[in-house]
Amino acid sequence: MDEEKSTPQRPDAQRNRERILAVALVELTRSADAPVSAIAKKAGVGQGTFYRNFPNREALVLEVYRYEMQQVADTAAQLLRTRTPDRALREWMDRLAQYAMAKAGLAVALRTTACNGSLAQLGHGPVTRGITLLLQANEEAGTIRPGVTPDDFQLAIAGLWQLDPHSDWQPRAARLLDLVMDGLRAGAPGVGGPRA
């Protein structure tokens, strides 16, 4: 008998949860202080339904963050299916920059919610898996120098978090990420001629 642990939610319950998360993402990005009651109302659910899904505001904020980080991480595999490894890595970095700048308002809600390091653990796992996937594909293809770790990569792109999302950040982010790619390519065994 094939018995799986995860029992699927009823379709209407799953839709309610997804609506709450979608509305919460928009509202918390707009204002870190968005009231739970307003989020529930805009999602078209009652307080009881809201609290069945998220026992408190912190649980909601952390789940929005976890969901968003998973989306960012999942993009790595999607890009690798349709792009060369080096192109997938560079496009993924652009998407990470877009995410970081677009979700600046959510960052404030996250800072006020962060407790016992759970925030870092929620995002670190999926994003690290995405980075690892991209780095391994590139190392195997010979498009980046061997031995780059996910921690190395995260330190190299840390400048993204210094950019002001209310400024003209795109050209600065592009230059920074081009520098990171140039550094990753330096010493790569398969890189010898002009780049595409």
Side-chain angles (χ1 to χ4, degrees), residues 21 27 37 105 124 152:
L21 286 171
E27 295 303 310
S37 58
H124 189 70
D152 295 337

Side-chain angles (χ1 to χ4, degrees), residues 89 131-132 134-136 138-139 143-154 156 180 183-186:
L89 177 60
I131 292 168
T132 301
L134 288 162
L135 293 176
Q136 285 174 343
N138 276 277
E139 191 169 329
T143 53
I144 64 170
R145 67 187 323 139
V148 178
T149 69
D151 286 341
D152 295 337
F153 179 81
Q154 289 180 17
V180 170
L184 290 170
R185 285 183 177 115

Side-chain angles (χ1 to χ4, degrees), residues 134-191:
L134 288 162
L135 293 176
Q136 285 174 343
N138 276 277
E139 191 169 329
E140 289 169 10
T143 53
I144 64 170
R145 67 187 323 139
V148 178
T149 69
D151 286 341
D152 295 337
F153 179 81
Q154 289 180 17
L155 283 171
I157 65 165
L160 280 178
W161 317 125
Q162 304 304 313
L163 298 177
D164 179 359
H166 305 294
S167 70
D168 185 23
W169 61 267
Q170 291 92 340
R172 293 188 74 198
R175 279 193 308 273
L176 171 70
L177 297 177
D178 285 343
L179 285 170
V180 170
M181 278 305 295
D182 288 346
L184 290 170
R185 285 183 177 115
V191 179

Side-chain angles (χ1 to χ4, degrees), residues 57-123:
R57 178 186 182 76
E58 290 74 24
L60 173 66
V61 171
L62 290 173
E63 180 60 16
V64 167
Y65 177 72
R66 186 207 63 74
Y67 177 79
E68 285 294 291
M69 288 294 93
Q70 188 63 56
Q71 297 306 304
V72 169
D74 290 347
T75 304
Q78 295 164 6
L79 288 169
L80 281 170
R81 284 194 289 274
T82 59
R83 316 269 192 300
T84 61
D86 57 335
R87 185 142 192 126
L89 177 60
R90 184 61 181 82
E91 285 187 34
W92 188 83
M93 289 193 299
D94 284 336
R95 291 181 188 203
L96 182 63
Q98 289 282 340
Y99 172 81
M101 297 302 113
K103 307 302 185 218
L106 181 59
V108 175
L110 290 167
R111 276 194 293 276
T112 59
T113 299
C115 54
N116 305 330
S118 59
L119 182 62
Q121 292 168 355
L122 276 175

